[in-house]
Amino acid sequence: METTNTPKALILQEAQQQFFNQGYSKVLMADLAKQLGMSKKTLYQYFRGKEELLHAVIKHYLEALQREVENLLQQEEADFTRKAEEVFRTVGQRFARINGQLLTDIRKHTPKTWQLLQQYRTEAAFKRFRTLLEEGSQKGYIRKDANISLAVLLYASALEKILDPEFISQVPPELMKDIDYTPSAVYEGLANLIFHGLLEKK
């Protein structure tokens, strides 16, 4: 978000809170303007419509998350396992703030913003996750026979499907009841499976 108390920054802050809590469909520009103490005309001077406003909110949110993750990755002196856990926890907690209904609404009603989310997930997996695994390999935490590229591909593919509401709607209910389907749990669960696998050490 913008760091100053400009009208645009205040609009983004209030819009983020409403979108994340209520989803996209239930947020009305008239209500948002009233909450901000401004006219709809003033609101539309900054954003041409609700779709453009949502896109700006998500873009700012993802940019802040990217900076946060990059800072974690650059902490070379940090213990690798703790760093990895912190990266996945940070991403998961950030996405957990987004209302599940909002993700469904974005996919249905705002393809441009859905593409932005998908692009972030792809970059997060193919760039930042790969960077993390390569560091772990260099420091001896990753098995030498492990295929890092395959692990990255597996992670990226899993994220794309698991966080896709349309895909999840097709999953049998008896399977979903055993899954904590919060973004934070999904991110940490995938990381745990990739780093530790399924088999018990004997």
Side-chain angles (χ1 to χ4, degrees):
M1 289 295 166
E2 297 184 6
T3 56
T4 59
N5 288 326
T6 63
K8 185 175 182 180
L10 294 174
I11 292 170
L12 288 171
Q13 291 167 14
E14 181 61 32
Q16 176 181 304
Q17 182 176 342
Q18 292 200 25
F19 283 135
F20 283 18
N21 290 337
Q22 301 178 42
Y24 177 75
S25 302
K26 293 182 179 179
V27 174
L28 302 176
M29 295 292 273
D31 292 342
L32 182 59
K34 184 178 180 181
Q35 187 68 29
L36 288 162
M38 63 175 61
S39 66
K40 281 178 62 177
K41 182 179 179 180
T42 301
L43 179 57
Y44 279 105
Q45 287 176 353
Y46 292 96
F47 298 98
R48 290 173 294 181
K50 187 167 70 167
E51 186 172 344
E52 181 179 293
L53 176 56
L54 173 66
H55 190 83
V57 166
I58 296 298
K59 185 172 184 289
H60 276 82
Y61 195 73
L62 294 179
E63 286 173 349
L65 174 56
Q66 181 175 330
R67 288 192 298 270
E68 197 171 353
V69 171
E70 291 290 351
N71 287 336
L72 289 171
L73 291 175
Q74 291 170 10
Q75 295 176 8
E76 296 182 2
E77 72 285 353
D79 176 76
F80 174 77
T81 54
R82 283 200 294 269
K83 179 195 287 191
E85 289 173 358
E86 186 61 27
V87 166
F88 287 106
R89 185 179 301 111
T90 297
V91 174
Q93 288 174 347
R94 277 279 192 168
F95 272 99
R97 296 175 192 169
I98 302 177
N99 183 291
Q101 183 59 48
L102 177 58
L103 291 176
T104 301
D105 287 347
I106 289 174
R107 182 179 176 86
K108 286 183 178 179
H109 305 297
T110 61
K112 182 180 177 182
T113 304
W114 180 254
Q115 184 179 7
L116 180 67
L117 274 171
Q118 294 296 81
Q119 180 183 345
Y120 175 83
R121 289 171 183 165
T122 300
E123 291 180 353
F126 288 119
K127 294 182 181 179
R128 287 177 278 281
F129 185 55
R130 184 182 185 89
T131 297
L132 188 64
L133 290 185
E134 287 175 344
E135 178 186 337
S137 179
Q138 292 170 3
K139 292 182 176 180
Y141 287 93
I142 305 293
R143 293 197 336 257
K144 291 184 178 180
D145 65 333
N147 189 320
I148 289 179
S149 295
L150 184 59
V152 171
L153 183 60
L154 174 64
Y155 178 69
S157 301
L159 273 186
E160 181 179 358
K161 287 299 184 183
I162 292 176
L163 294 177
D164 182 345
E166 185 174 323
F167 172 77
I168 290 299
S169 68
Q170 302 171 26
V171 176
E174 61 269 21
L175 182 60
M176 286 303 298
K177 70 180 178 63
D178 296 324
I179 299 175
D180 182 353
Y181 189 58
T182 58
S184 56
V186 168
Y187 274 89
E188 291 184 38
L190 278 175
N192 184 56
L193 284 172
I194 289 174
F195 283 124
H196 303 294
L198 289 170
L199 300 180
E200 289 280 6
K201 294 181 181 180
K202 293 185 178 180

